[in-house]
Amino acid sequence: MSSERINLLVMPTDICNMNCLYCFHESYHEKEGKMSFATLQKLYEITFKHYSEVAIIWHGGEPLVMGLDFYKKALEMQKQFCGVKVRNSIQSNLTLLTDKFADFLCKNDFGVSTSFDGCKNDETRGNSEEILKGREKIIARKKNCGVIMVLSKINIDSLIESYEYFKSKNINFTINPYSSIPSPADERLKLDADYTVKKILELFEYWLHDTSCKIRISYFERFLDFVVYQKKDLCVYNSCLGKWMGIRYDGTIMPCNRWLPAEYSYGNVWDYEDLSQAFESSGFKKLISEAIERRYKCQSCIAFPLCSGGCNNAAFNENGIANNGGKTCIMMKAIYQHIIEVFKNIQAASPENDCNYNPRVISEIRNSKQ
């Protein structure tokens, strides 16, 4: 058995009961199909026998569409394999979450997260009340449930308002800037790079000086972790290749859950006896060669120590995987330069002004020196 860890974004269905404006499934997938237990068993066999640690993120589509019995069976099937540590989590809109489903997820230590676009959620995702009710079912069972807020032109002018909204409900969240895709809603959603930087940094300064803050914005805290601990734990800030895969309901293997054309496919689970063989596929070789080309171009960039060349899918959507210089790069460089400098200045300064800053920031900075 390999000593390595693998992260699998398993998409057991493309079906979704919602129709979010920015969903890539709307443009690229048929919104149908469910994973068979035969395909799931094959995935388990080629993975659990060859990796000592496997993180499965059940994704979609909407993974709860599969129903509670599917996940009960999926966990029972995992128990067939010894010597492998499996960690399950799920990314769901939570609108289909029943009390029984919540009991099952929490009892079996599933990590649970959702998406909610702050005070503009009704315009981008809808079902706001149902999503929050689903989240409360998880919180009521003494588990965490973080939130991803997709940042688009629709909600960029209400960032501080959304922050206060999340704070009032004690919701930890992160920011995921919208990346343009072929979609009828793209004009309503797509971001201007310079304006996005301006608004994100406004939120950063507001959050930084919020002395009553009790929630986390992991988008900012990842910069802090890098300054204080030199830690990078986000897939887009590390080379995901060789460490992550996306598995579609029919067994097709892709780099992750985000859409890329078939030329970047790693094949199908039925093609292999060991999942790591997928890293010898023509699709993986094409992707890694283009990613290396982009990262070579990125090495002189001020933000490269943190972003490591960024996300392959974001690059694909902007200038192609082999190229940098798109909106994501422009935003990252400006945001990185500002935030890193601020954190380093606080770190170097005397603690006498600590009372003017977010206590979470000060705690991380001062505790790191002990």
Side-chain angles (χ1 to χ4, degrees):
M1 174 179 289
S2 169
S3 61
E4 296 179 9
R5 167 192 169 114
I6 190 75
N7 303 280
L8 301 180
L9 287 149
V10 180
M11 297 160 275
T13 183
D14 280 344
I15 299 170
C16 186
N17 63 317
M18 287 176 56
N19 194 29
C20 304
L21 284 177
Y22 41 69
C23 182
F24 51 84
H25 284 265
E26 182 70 17
S27 301
Y28 298 120
H29 294 326
E30 61 275 18
K31 282 199 168 184
E32 63 183 32
K34 292 184 176 182
M35 181 176 282
S36 69
F37 286 119
T39 298
L40 183 60
Q41 179 70 24
K42 177 64 175 177
L43 172 62
Y44 283 176
E45 287 179 352
I46 65 175
T47 306
F48 295 163
K49 293 179 179 178
H50 302 282
Y51 287 89
S52 58
E53 188 173 352
V54 181
I56 297 179
I57 302 96
W58 300 94
H59 216 283
E62 170 47 49
L64 295 190
V65 164
M66 297 299 290
L68 178 55
D69 288 343
F70 173 83
Y71 291 99
K72 286 181 176 179
K73 178 73 171 176
L75 257 61
E76 284 299 314
M77 291 165 61
Q78 290 177 7
K79 294 176 183 176
Q80 302 171 18
F81 301 89
C82 300
V84 58
K85 180 180 179 182
V86 183
R87 182 169 60 85
N88 292 281
S89 58
I90 193 164
Q91 174 71 25
S92 165
N93 63 43
L94 299 181
T95 61
L96 302 176
L97 188 70
T98 63
D99 284 321
K100 286 186 177 180
F101 222 141
D103 286 339
F104 169 82
L105 295 175
C106 295
K107 179 181 177 182
N108 290 283
D109 294 322
F110 273 67
V112 181
S113 55
T114 191
S115 295
F116 192 90
D117 294 336
C119 56
K120 297 292 185 179
N121 189 76
D122 281 338
E123 296 182 41
T124 56
R125 297 178 60 81
N127 298 285
S128 297
E129 185 177 348
E130 292 82 359
I131 294 170
L132 293 176
K133 282 182 178 178
R135 182 182 177 275
E136 282 304 312
K137 290 181 190 296
I138 301 300
I139 299 302
R141 288 159 174 81
K142 310 298 183 185
K143 298 290 185 178
N144 295 322
C145 182
V147 165
I148 296 170
M149 180 175 71
V150 176
L151 180 62
S152 68
K153 187 160 63 175
I154 290 174
N155 61 356
I156 193 166
D157 287 319
S158 57
L159 271 176
I160 291 175
E161 184 182 352
S162 289
Y163 167 67
E164 289 292 349
Y165 175 84
F166 285 129
K167 197 170 78 164
S168 72
K169 294 184 176 295
N170 198 32
I171 295 175
N172 297 322
F173 73 104
T174 193
I175 299 168
N176 186 9
Y178 169 75
S179 180
S180 291
I181 57 172
S183 165
D186 188 59
E187 283 300 319
R188 290 180 60 196
L189 294 165
K190 67 181 181 181
L191 295 163
D192 174 79
D194 292 337
Y195 191 68
T196 303
V197 170
K198 176 176 180 270
K199 301 307 288 188
I200 287 179
L201 292 182
E202 282 179 6
L203 175 63
F204 170 73
E205 292 294 336
Y206 188 88
W207 167 82
L208 179 66
H209 293 93
D210 183 359
T211 58
S212 65
C213 178
K214 291 185 171 64
I215 66 169
R216 304 184 64 173
I217 304 181
S218 56
Y219 182 89
F220 297 139
E221 291 191 10
R222 289 184 177 115
F223 290 88
L224 182 61
D225 284 343
F226 182 66
V227 169
V228 175
Y229 304 109
Q230 291 74 56
K231 183 176 76 171
K232 302 192 294 181
D233 61 0
L234 188 66
C235 60
V236 297
Y237 293 164
N238 291 278
S239 178
C240 61
L241 300 180
K243 303 170 187 174
W244 289 80
M245 289 186 187
I247 313 295
R248 294 196 63 210
Y249 72 89
D250 61 358
T252 300
I253 307 172
M254 297 300 296
C256 70
N257 65 308
R258 297 187 176 188
W259 187 85
L260 286 172
E263 62 195 286
Y264 297 103
S265 170
Y266 300 172
N268 194 288
V269 297
W270 294 99
D271 297 333
Y272 305 113
E273 296 302 316
D274 179 342
L275 187 63
S276 64
Q277 293 170 340
F279 295 129
E280 297 298 321
S281 66
S282 59
F284 178 81
K285 291 177 180 177
K286 175 177 175 59
L287 179 58
I288 199 168
S289 65
E290 293 178 8
I292 289 171
E293 183 179 347
R294 181 182 79 257
R295 290 190 171 108
Y296 179 80
K297 298 171 184 175
C298 292
Q299 288 181 8
S300 61
C301 173
I302 189 173
F304 184 75
L306 174 61
C307 81
S308 302
C311 174
N312 294 316
N313 182 264
F316 172 81
N317 288 330
E318 294 172 354
N319 291 330
I321 293 173
N323 299 304
N324 55 15
K327 284 193 290 188
T328 301
C329 284
I330 294 169
M331 292 188 295
M332 170 55 77
K333 283 190 282 188
I335 292 167
Y336 174 92
Q337 190 164 10
H338 180 89
I339 292 180
I340 294 295
E341 183 177 352
V342 168
F343 283 151
K344 286 183 175 179
N345 287 340
I346 295 172
Q347 192 177 37
S350 168
E352 62 186 22
N353 293 319
D354 284 357
C355 60
N356 297 320
Y357 295 110
N358 186 319
R360 297 192 64 88
V361 174
I362 295 303
S363 176
E364 288 296 316
I365 288 177
R366 301 305 176 210
N367 289 342
S368 69
K369 295 183 177 181
Q370 295 179 2

